[in-house]
């Protein structure tokens, strides 16, 4: 059982297109693209939330009781 050749992949692609049809495959592709885009935007929001909003330093003096 060696690796698949290009002919094997073309036959698999043809069978998938015959089963699902091009319109359904196009819709699945756009749904997948939207999901990936949403995931990337969510990760960007999380990274921005992790950054400190204000980087001021509070200096003070500690007095012992």
């Amino acid at each position: 059982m060696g690796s698949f050749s290009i002919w094997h992949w073309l036959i698999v692609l043809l069978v998938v297109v015959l089963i699902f049809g091009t319109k359904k495959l196009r819709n699945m592709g756009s749904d997948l693209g939207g999901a990936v885009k949403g995931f990337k935007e969510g990760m960007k929001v999380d990274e921005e939330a992790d950054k400190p909003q204000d980087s001021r330093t509070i200096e003070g003096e500690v007095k012992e009781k």
Side-chain angles (χ1 to χ4, degrees):
M1 292 190 65
S3 64
F4 291 109
S5 69
I6 188 71
W7 295 111
H8 290 108
W9 290 115
L10 288 175
I11 292 170
V12 169
L13 179 65
L14 179 66
V15 170
V16 168
V17 168
L18 288 174
I19 291 173
F20 293 110
T22 55
K23 185 176 180 182
K24 193 166 192 170
L25 288 175
R26 193 173 336 133
N27 290 340
M28 287 176 16
S30 65
D31 290 343
L32 180 64
V36 170
K37 184 177 180 182
F39 178 76
K40 285 183 179 180
E41 288 175 0
M43 292 298 292
K44 184 185 287 185
V45 169
D46 285 344
E47 288 176 359
E48 291 173 358
D50 289 342
K51 292 181 183 176
Q53 296 294 330
D54 196 3
S55 60
R56 288 186 275 163
T57 304
I58 299 174
E59 295 183 18
E61 189 175 313
V62 177
K63 296 182 181 179
E64 292 185 29
K65 290 186 177 182

